[in-house]
Amino acid sequence: MPRLSMKVPRWLVAGALLGVGACAPISPVAGDPAGGGAATPEAERVIGFGLAMIQDRYLSPVAIGDVAVAGMGGLSKIDPALSIERPTGQRLFLRYQGEALADYPAPADDDVAGWSAMIVRAEREASAVSPKLRAAGSEQLYQAVFDAGLAKLDRFSRYAGAVAARRRRAARDGFGGIGVHYDLHAGDVVLTEVAPDSPASRARLRIGDHVSAIDGTALAGLDSTSVADLFDGPVASSVALTVRHPGNRQAAQINLDRILVVPRSVTMTMADGIATIGISSFRRNTAETVAKDLVKAEAIPGFRGVILDLRGTPGGLLDEGIAVAGLFIDHGRIGLTRGRNPSSVQLYDATPGAPGRTVPLVVLVDGRSASAAEIVAAALQDSGRAVLVGTNTYGKGTVQAVIRMPNGGEMTLSWARFYAPSGYALHGLGVLPTVCTADPNTTPATALATIGDGHSPVRGTIAAWRATTIEETALRARLRTVCPAGRHPDAPRDRAVARDLLNNPGLYQQALDLTAPAVAAATTAMAVHQP
């Protein structure tokens, strides 16, 4: 797999959503998740850390006071009788059931420590009269404050508490498991899938096996979260399953060692010399899996090309998206990110030796192809490596850093925009397919008819697409109507168009020529300017 050169900001969480890097260890903050309100020093530290990250790292400058006031308003999610008002900007008024409870002088808009102390103080004083706040734990407080505060910024910035964050990290980066899927039943669980070459398959577990207990804990009556917590655990740790094979009355205990399990995100099928590689999301090892599938496909006699299916792919890890694009691009720019913080400026260039550098390639996209999927599509189109088929993509071109919080939670914070190799910002615009199949009445023949007649409007449209700036919102909205974003979860005409292109090298080349590379000279210079 090609290696990519980039700078790594140390404060990002490894494997972050559309962000990469490592984070200096932070000692967990002790709290009281069971109830009794938040302990003041710990709560001030967690909330202050979050506000500081927003102040320093968010894509655009923000008045931290506005975010904090919105966060304080989030306490009403715990007790609707509570309200916060800031009528003049100089003072804050805390009310409970419409009656004045307290008022405070407002800290300066950039005073992170002052605002974090103010939030905790308001929560403490409100807890004196609110049974609901007294019963809430620190995690519930953080969720309410950060949900409301981050909603003030944009819909892609969000917070996950410690438990939810652990699950998200497992989905992105993998977890310790034995390689099974299962259905919950009243008295046990029944295995529905056993992964090849997994601890479960090596222990001869089979689909249909009943598991009634894990490490001596009976599964009867447990919910799905509790069962998952028993199946999963640290990599290399041991787990004992009480298993009964179908047709057997007697159960047996089977001991297994957990391995790192990364949820599958790549599928490949072969038909008539064409490999269709589908990516459901960009997770750890996605690019490695695509690379292995590509090698397998190229070794098959009669191999003619690849259909990369990104329809409905919501995104995922930035580094995996860049690496997937780099499998097919032998040289040149893959893209760049740029935001307000200097660390957000990242240039991504391909390196020689890409295994798929000469493979004929068609990429399928639709209105749900977003984020990392759009990055891949834009890079392959701008580099002249692929013909795009489908509808306009989602238009989500902001990069989110996933920041590990002191309490073990995660803050997902928009901190940069992604720019295609030709220089345009993806956000609010998306990627325009070369062959549009948005019209439900389109057939493969009509979709491909304009490519070879010399009158395709795509060349002019793509030139206008690449020339727009992020500020030209009205123009970008009009351009998006050229091939309106739609949902094509498994539209057969998209696959038919792709196969026709790969089966007709002349037509495929004509389609490539319509979006011939036009890398803007300003792309590199862009990196040193503010958004």
Side-chain angles (χ1 to χ4, degrees):
M1 193 168 66
R3 290 163 49 195
L4 303 163
S5 58
M6 54 190 175
K7 297 175 292 181
V8 177
R10 294 187 66 240
W11 54 272
L12 287 179
V13 175
L17 263 177
L18 285 179
V20 294
C23 179
I26 299 172
S27 300
V29 171
D32 178 14
T40 301
E42 290 85 354
E44 282 191 32
R45 183 183 177 204
V46 173
I47 293 171
F49 181 89
L51 294 180
M53 289 292 101
I54 294 169
Q55 183 181 61
D56 188 49
R57 310 294 181 179
Y58 187 63
L59 178 62
S60 305
V62 293
I64 210 64
D66 291 342
V67 177
V69 171
M72 292 172 72
L75 296 176
S76 65
K77 294 292 185 181
I78 301 174
D79 189 342
L82 181 70
S83 63
I84 300 287
E85 299 173 8
R86 190 190 186 190
T88 65
Q90 300 300 315
R91 300 194 72 80
L92 284 88
F93 297 90
L94 180 64
R95 300 186 186 278
Y96 190 73
Q97 295 181 339
E99 299 294 328
L101 182 61
D103 72 275
Y104 318 103
D109 264 345
D110 61 351
D111 184 359
V112 167
W115 281 109
S116 58
M118 179 68 68
I119 292 171
V120 174
R121 178 182 175 185
E123 185 274 338
R124 184 178 65 245
E125 295 187 3
S127 292
V129 297
S130 168
K132 293 181 180 178
L133 278 177
R134 283 198 300 276
S138 55
E139 286 299 316
Q140 195 174 355
L141 167 68
Y142 303 147
Q143 193 75 55
V145 169
F146 286 122
D147 278 352
L150 291 169
K152 183 82 175 174
L153 303 179
D154 67 89
R155 61 197 180 99
F156 300 114
S157 295
R158 58 188 181 273
Y159 171 80
V163 174
R166 281 198 300 272
R167 297 239 173 250
R168 291 185 179 187
R169 286 192 287 272
R172 292 193 306 264
D173 305 329
F175 55 91
I178 61 171
V180 297
H181 288 171
Y182 51 85
D183 283 339
L184 232 60
H185 289 236
D188 58 17
V189 303
V190 177
L191 302 187
T192 59
E193 183 179 340
V194 178
D197 197 29
S198 66
S201 66
R202 289 192 289 271
R204 301 184 182 279
L205 294 181
R206 303 188 297 266
I207 293 173
D209 282 349
H210 293 252
V211 180
S212 57
I214 299 176
D215 287 334
T217 300
L219 304 186
L222 297 185
D223 59 22
S224 58
T225 299
S226 300
V227 173
D229 286 341
L230 290 171
F231 267 111
D232 303 340
V235 173
S237 62
S238 297
V239 60
L241 272 58
T242 303
V243 179
R244 179 177 61 80
H245 296 304
N248 291 355
R249 294 184 177 181
Q250 200 71 17
Q253 180 171 302
I254 298 177
N255 298 309
L256 308 93
D257 291 332
R258 297 181 177 99
I259 61 169
L260 178 66
V261 176
V262 179
R264 185 173 179 82
S265 62
V266 180
T267 59
M268 185 180 77
T269 58
M270 285 289 302
D272 301 324
I274 295 174
T276 299
I277 298 176
I279 298 177
S280 61
S281 63
F282 290 85
R283 298 172 176 164
R284 177 178 175 176
N285 296 336
T286 294
E288 181 181 350
T289 304
V290 173
K292 291 177 180 177
D293 285 347
L294 185 59
V295 171
K296 292 177 186 175
E298 289 185 284
I300 294 174
F303 172 72
R304 291 203 296 279
V306 169
I307 299 172
L308 183 63
D309 194 346
L310 301 180
R311 293 174 299 176
T313 308
L317 302 176
L318 173 61
D319 53 349
E320 291 296 324
I322 295 293
V324 167
L327 294 172
F328 300 95
I329 301 173
D330 197 51
H331 62 277
R333 178 66 36 85
I334 292 176
L336 68 88
T337 62
R338 181 169 55 87
R340 179 168 60 97
N341 188 283
S343 295
S344 69
V345 179
Q346 305 286 336
L347 305 178
Y348 300 95
D349 293 323
T351 56
R357 59 190 178 277
T358 62
V359 170
L361 178 65
V362 176
V363 179
L364 305 185
V365 293
D366 71 356
R368 295 183 302 154
S369 304
S371 199
E374 295 178 280
I375 288 168
V376 173
L380 294 173
Q381 184 182 66
D382 274 6
S383 64
R385 278 296 296 118
V387 177
L388 270 56
V389 172
T391 79
N392 191 30
T393 62
Y394 186 89
K396 193 264 181 187
T398 53
V399 179
Q400 281 67 48
V402 180
I403 303 166
R404 185 77 65 88
M405 299 288 288
N407 65 318
E410 288 181 349
M411 179 186 290
T412 302
L413 190 65
S414 297
W415 83 304
R417 292 190 179 94
F418 193 91
Y419 293 84
S422 58
Y424 71 89
L426 273 66
H427 197 65
L429 184 61
V431 186
L432 178 71
T434 314
V435 182
C436 180
T437 61
D439 185 341
N441 297 316
T442 296
T443 66
T446 57
L448 292 168
T450 59
I451 290 179
D453 66 6
H455 300 292
S456 174
V458 173
R459 195 186 306 276
T461 305
I462 198 70
W465 201 275
R466 289 166 171 163
T468 59
T469 65
I470 192 68
E471 295 79 17
E472 295 176 295
T473 54
L475 173 58
R476 292 160 78 85
R478 287 198 301 274
L479 286 171
R480 282 184 63 83
T481 66
V482 171
C483 184
R487 294 190 172 194
H488 286 195
D490 195 30
R493 65 178 177 275
D494 294 346
R495 295 195 306 274
V497 168
R499 298 186 72 83
D500 286 349
L501 284 166
L502 293 174
N503 285 325
N504 188 332
L507 190 63
Y508 172 79
Q509 187 58 52
Q510 286 176 305
L512 276 182
D513 291 343
L514 290 175
T515 57
V519 178
T523 304
T524 302
M526 189 187 305
V528 299
H529 296 120
Q530 295 299 314

